[in-house]
Amino acid sequence: MRSFRLVDIVATSFTIFLFIALASIAKADHWESRDSQDRVCKEDRKYKNYKNIWSQKKIKTELVPSETREFDLTFKAPKNLKTASLVASKKIDPFIEINPSEFNNIRRGEEINFTVKITAPTNYLDEKLKGKIWLERKKKRIGNKLPIKAYISGISEYEGDSTTNLSFNYPNYGRTTEVISLNKTIGHEVIVIRIELPNSTFLTDEIYIDVIDNTEGLDTWFITNIDPDGLLVGINKYVRQNLANGLDAYIVQPEIETPDEYLMNYGLLSAAYVTSPTADKIIVINIPEDSGTVATSEQTQISAFMLNFLSSFNFN
């Protein structure tokens, strides 16, 4: 019969104790790790389900192609955040600019100001540009999403006539439109764009286009007929631009005040002056003060609209 020495018994007991201790430590680490993961998941769910972090429920606007509009917004941080960023859904990402979009060391409850700039794409006709922006950290969303919806008004085409050979595109804002020609005389034609008023069947004059025969270049004609005293060019009331279609134009800057001396001597200003490719015609653009859509737009919107509108001009 085998006898057990005391030293063997002690060694065996120690081995069993060490095994049990290591197993307990491993189990504790497992549950601690699991608890940590659970806490992270709960935090993420807390961020995701946070009711509302935005200063407004949504952004909704109407734009004409190539027009840009900027919105001032605020979000309220639901928790202390070392880093966070604002991102947009894929569909609208190419057309919006968020500034700033990256943030550091935000405290819980802190209100953060930022801007969202939306630029209407030129290839959207009678479409709604829809998407969302949200706050995230480490690719995980924080709080709710902010919906964005921009209605891009449609484009109508005027194919011109045998007198002027001028064709162009113009926004119809999703409404009924017509283009008519008035006061046809030798060397002068007036084209009127009429657009249906919102929530009405009545068409109102939106844009007047005077096509005038010319024997001078644009600069000489402008100085002779519009700014003989140099009052407008001297304050950059008109900016000379070479348009995307190759035409040259003087475009009014609405934000710059017209000198009283000019108004007394010459009257109100036109929105733009454009020359044909051969400089044999001058096109004068006027927007009636009582027009239903264009004249009621903000100054920056009118400038963006005018640049886009004039760039569509084509002489066949």
Side-chain angles (χ1 to χ4, degrees):
M1 183 176 179
R2 183 180 176 184
S3 60
F4 293 93
R5 294 178 300 167
L6 179 60
V7 66
D8 292 332
I9 294 173
V10 171
T12 301
S13 299
F14 178 76
T15 301
I16 294 173
F17 171 78
L18 183 61
F19 176 79
I20 294 173
L22 291 174
S24 298
I25 293 173
K27 186 176 181 180
D29 288 342
H30 167 76
W31 286 108
E32 182 178 353
S33 175
R34 183 170 177 178
D35 289 343
S36 177
Q37 292 176 1
D38 287 344
R39 284 195 298 271
V40 171
C41 290
K42 287 179 180 178
E43 282 190 352
D44 289 337
R45 285 196 297 270
K46 180 179 178 182
Y47 288 155
K48 188 174 182 179
N49 296 330
Y50 196 82
K51 289 185 178 180
N52 183 41
I53 66 173
W54 309 101
S55 56
Q56 61 188 74
K57 292 182 178 180
K58 60 184 176 181
I59 297 176
K60 186 177 181 181
T61 188
E62 179 177 332
L63 306 170
V64 298
S66 299
E67 181 184 352
T68 296
R69 190 169 297 183
E70 189 171 293
F71 298 86
D72 295 320
L73 300 170
T74 303
F75 71 83
K76 191 172 184 178
K79 188 177 177 66
N80 293 339
L81 297 168
K82 289 185 177 180
T83 60
S85 58
L86 288 170
V87 295
S89 50
K90 290 183 179 180
K91 185 174 181 180
I92 64 170
D93 186 60
F95 309 114
I96 74 169
E97 178 182 339
I98 304 174
N99 185 40
S101 60
E102 301 289 336
F103 308 94
N104 296 307
N105 300 320
I106 303 176
R107 294 184 177 181
R108 179 180 180 180
E110 184 177 356
E111 293 186 349
I112 306 298
N113 299 319
F114 66 99
T115 61
V116 171
K117 185 183 295 184
I118 306 174
T119 301
T122 57
N123 59 342
Y124 267 67
L125 304 180
D126 294 307
E127 291 282 346
K128 287 181 180 178
L129 186 63
K130 296 172 63 177
K132 296 179 179 180
I133 63 173
W134 61 88
L135 185 69
E136 71 173 28
R137 95 187 151 94
K138 297 181 179 180
K139 304 296 182 180
K140 294 183 178 180
R141 177 163 60 89
I142 304 172
N144 60 316
K145 295 181 178 181
L146 178 67
I148 294 178
K149 181 185 294 184
Y151 175 76
I152 313 302
S153 64
I155 293 294
S156 294
E157 181 180 2
Y158 176 67
E159 297 181 354
D161 56 41
S162 58
T163 304
T164 63
N165 296 320
L166 171 64
S167 62
F168 52 83
N169 297 332
Y170 62 94
N172 59 43
Y173 303 96
R175 307 172 202 150
T176 302
T177 67
E178 68 176 1
V179 180
I180 58 177
S181 180
L182 302 173
N183 302 331
K184 282 190 175 180
T185 60
I186 297 176
H188 187 188
E189 180 178 0
V190 180
I191 300 171
V192 183
I193 299 176
R194 311 187 74 218
I195 302 178
E196 186 179 52
L197 288 172
N199 304 316
S200 171
T201 58
F202 179 76
L203 274 68
T204 183
D205 296 349
E206 288 285 345
I207 302 172
Y208 294 126
I209 304 171
D210 288 72
V211 184
I212 305 169
D213 283 353
N214 176 52
T215 57
E216 305 170 312
L218 176 63
D219 295 327
T220 302
W221 186 92
F222 183 83
I223 293 172
T224 302
N225 296 278
I226 306 303
D227 194 20
D229 302 324
L231 296 174
L232 304 178
V233 173
I235 60 172
N236 292 322
K237 179 62 180 178
Y238 282 91
V239 173
R240 194 184 194 283
Q241 297 192 39
N242 182 257
L243 306 173
N245 53 4
L247 302 182
D248 293 320
Y250 279 97
I251 302 177
V252 73
Q253 305 303 298
E255 67 276 9
I256 298 178
E257 187 175 353
T258 304
D260 291 336
E261 182 181 350
Y262 185 93
L263 294 173
M264 291 176 60
N265 294 334
Y266 304 104
L268 298 176
L269 300 176
S270 296
Y273 303 93
V274 189
T275 184
S276 61
T278 57
D280 64 332
K281 296 183 185 299
I282 296 291
I283 299 94
V284 182
I285 310 298
N286 285 289
I287 300 175
E289 293 184 357
D290 58 350
S291 69
T293 302
V294 177
T296 58
S297 303
E298 295 179 6
Q299 293 178 350
T300 54
Q301 296 171 24
I302 293 177
S303 298
F305 160 78
M306 191 56 59
L307 187 61
N308 188 49
F309 174 60
L310 298 179
S311 295
S312 74
F313 280 22
N314 181 46
F315 286 85
N316 302 316

